[in-house]
Amino acid sequence: MVDHQHRRPRGRAGEAVLAAGVTLAVTTMTGCAGDVGDGRPPADAAAVVRGAADALARTGSARARTAMEMATGGTRVTIRGEGGVDFKKRMGQLLVMLPADVKGKAEHRPITELLVPGALYMKNRGAGVPDDKWVRVDTTTLNDGNLVTGGATDPLVAAELLKGAQEVTYVGETEVAGTKVRHYRGTTDIGRAAGSASPEVRGALEAAAKGFSTDTVPFDAYLDEEGRLRKVRHRFTYVNNGVIDVSSTTLLYGFGTPVTVVLPASGDIYAGKISDQ
């Protein structure tokens, strides 16, 4: 595994929102892929993986499940999410379930996250935010570009991060949720991905490229016969009051399912102080 160290996000907004993802979990812990089935490896595995995000944009939309597993000090927790993404409109919505405390009591309500170009909206954020209010964060100001902060990697950003894929190996054929796929393994470069990303995603990846101590991110990607990303796992090493190993997985299915994202009115967005705990 390649170490991927990340500096703590600077500023109140970054520190506060981080509590919904990594910090909150730590506190709780105290192109076309070719025909699948022909058995032949692709001529250029890296090019195939780099084309996965464009294949998703052509498809339109999909349902998504996310899992962000964090390990530190011998303790491991997982934050799970479920929702949908419109890859054409570059918008999505996830319901993120935080882990229970060590006694098994679910102290935190699920957090609703709206994913739009350059911003993350969160409801049921906690930490002093009224239940009926949303928190808005500019993801281009976060040192990780929201790859880790929100407790789920934005599926659109996860796909576009693969545009920096390099040193890719074709592992072989397998199945994901009953669908035959091709499995690829390699590393991606955040800065390179930012340079090739769509305008809607570029700002977040540029922020991550500046914030991480290294641009290299190991991944496993699974593509179907149309070159669409079915599953991707990125592995980070995050530094926040200690070293936290992060494995972020995105599963895509139900392609073509309509996804509706309604942004909150300005009066519904919380403007007060947010606790970082």
Side-chain angles (χ1 to χ4, degrees), residues 64-79:
R65 292 195 184 100
T66 65
M68 184 169 284
E69 184 179 81
M70 283 157 283
T72 182
T75 307
R76 188 179 302 269
V77 298
T78 302
I79 298 174

Side-chain angles (χ1 to χ4, degrees), residues 62-66 81-85 87 93-94 155 250-253:
R63 299 291 298 167
R65 292 195 184 100
T66 65
E82 185 167 358
V85 183
F87 293 100
Q93 179 169 319
L94 293 174
T250 300
L251 177 70
L252 299 173
Y253 63 100

